[in-house]
Amino acid sequence: MSNISELMANATVWHPPLWYQYNECAAAPYAFIFYYGVKVLNLAIGFPTNVLVMSQIAKRKSDGSTSDIFIFNLAGLDAFFCLMTLVDLINRLYLNDYRIWYIQRFAYGVKDMTPLFLTCICLDRYVAVVHPIVFTGIRDNRIRTGVSVVVWGLVLAYSLTKSIVGVMSVNEVFSGLILSAFFLMVFCNLSIIWVLRKSVAGKEVMNPVKKKAFKMVIIVLAIIVVNYLPPVALMPFASTFTFTDFWCKVSISVFSIMDLSCTIEPLLHISKMEKVACCLF
């Protein structure tokens, strides 16, 4: 009887899988299921499409968009983050090695900072459409290369801090960054839409080129709102949530939606490739 009682007692002891990270999250696993579904999607689709975007930009020697430098860097950061899914899955599911967590946190830091390059793309297009005279004087790609170097410095500084010091050390920085980037990107795209609509006021048909640009900006604006509105709306209020709600539901869901941009953004650029030449919009 004592053996039977011991077996029954052991049967009631359930150890949550490592990928919950916190035992308290065992009661709310659904956000984690979504999180890893997004990660697998990014690895299977996001990584190859980001590499394709980088390849096509590198092959194109002339007549490229002035935003190509920013798009190339954004695709590079996203490709790196997608590839890190393998490391993340292996460590969470099997190894749980604290040393690998440093690499994982660095990758998360990289992803946190990708909105900077997306903001650069929005600003570049904003100046081109809203202030065309100014834009003609700053078409030199050396300016954009310099901006990219500065952004890379910020990315590395933030990611290393998050990796070495810890996630909470950059929590306020991330909240400020995502809030500022979101409103700046929305402002730029709404301004572009306003100018494009105003330019065809009183006309029955919009110029095909402007119509294409208008549709592109609408899509980009929708992606920005879908991917970055949740962290903007929720992360500044992190302190108001309970431990379980924030770490097991809110944060994991918010970052999952942000991570979807790794697949959505390159697919958007690929959809604008022209037939055989695959020239990026």
Side-chain angles (χ1 to χ4, degrees), residues 16-280:
L18 294 174
W19 49 273
Y20 284 149
Q21 190 175 354
Y22 300 107
N23 292 338
E24 292 84 352
C25 296
Y30 304 108
F32 285 88
I33 295 172
F34 176 59
Y35 177 73
Y36 282 101
V38 170
K39 278 193 166 294
V40 172
L41 178 69
N42 283 340
L43 182 62
I45 300 178
F47 177 72
T49 50
N50 276 295
V51 171
L52 178 59
V53 169
M54 294 170 66
S55 174
Q56 294 302 325
I57 292 177
K59 289 179 181 177
R60 186 167 55 188
K61 298 179 180 179
S62 61
D63 298 325
S65 168
T66 55
S67 299
D68 278 355
I69 293 176
F70 301 135
I71 296 173
F72 183 90
N73 284 283
L74 176 62
L77 292 178
D78 282 343
F80 167 74
F81 182 76
C82 291
L83 193 59
M84 281 298 297
T85 293
L86 288 173
V87 177
D88 194 352
L89 289 174
I90 292 172
N91 191 43
R92 284 181 183 265
L93 295 173
Y94 301 107
L95 302 178
N96 198 27
D97 189 329
Y98 75 92
R99 292 168 296 185
I100 300 179
W101 274 103
Y102 286 106
I103 303 174
Q104 289 179 240
R105 287 199 296 266
F106 179 84
Y108 296 146
V110 167
K111 181 56 186 170
D112 288 349
M113 297 295 280
T114 53
L116 287 180
F117 277 116
L118 190 59
T119 304
C120 289
I121 295 170
C122 292
L123 281 171
D124 192 58
R125 291 175 176 173
Y126 165 80
V127 176
V129 175
V130 181
H131 304 286
I133 297 177
V134 175
F135 183 74
T136 56
I138 57 171
R139 290 186 64 90
D140 190 346
N141 279 335
R142 287 179 296 182
I143 297 175
R144 289 162 184 80
T145 301
V147 172
S148 297
V149 170
V150 172
V151 172
W152 268 102
L154 295 174
V155 170
L156 293 175
Y158 176 94
S159 302
L160 288 172
T161 302
K162 186 169 186 174
S163 173
I164 298 171
V165 182
V167 175
M168 298 309 296
S169 64
V170 293
N171 190 51
E172 293 183 0
V173 175
F174 172 73
S175 297
L177 166 71
I178 200 69
L179 188 66
S180 302
F182 175 79
F183 284 113
L184 189 56
M185 288 187 288
V186 170
F187 168 77
C188 289
N189 283 279
L190 287 178
S191 298
I192 292 171
I193 292 171
W194 172 260
V195 170
L196 290 175
R197 291 293 297 174
K198 188 177 180 181
S199 66
V200 295
K203 299 179 182 178
E204 295 183 0
V205 181
M206 182 183 289
N207 179 284
V209 176
K210 290 185 177 180
K211 186 175 182 180
K212 183 179 179 181
F214 181 78
K215 289 181 178 180
M216 179 68 176
V217 172
I218 289 291
I219 294 172
V220 171
L221 181 60
I223 290 173
I224 291 170
V225 171
V226 170
N227 288 135
Y228 297 104
L229 182 58
V232 167
L234 296 175
M235 294 307 288
F237 305 100
S239 60
T240 64
F241 295 101
T242 64
F243 179 90
T244 302
D245 285 342
F246 182 74
W247 291 107
C248 307
K249 299 176 183 178
V250 175
S251 66
I252 204 73
S253 299
V254 163
F255 290 126
S256 298
I257 295 171
M258 274 189 62
D259 292 353
L260 274 173
S261 63
C262 289
T263 296
I264 295 175
E265 287 163 3
L267 286 176
L268 174 63
H269 293 301
I270 289 174
S271 69
K272 296 301 177 182
M273 291 180 178
E274 296 179 1
K275 298 181 181 180
V276 180
C278 292
C279 293
L280 295 176

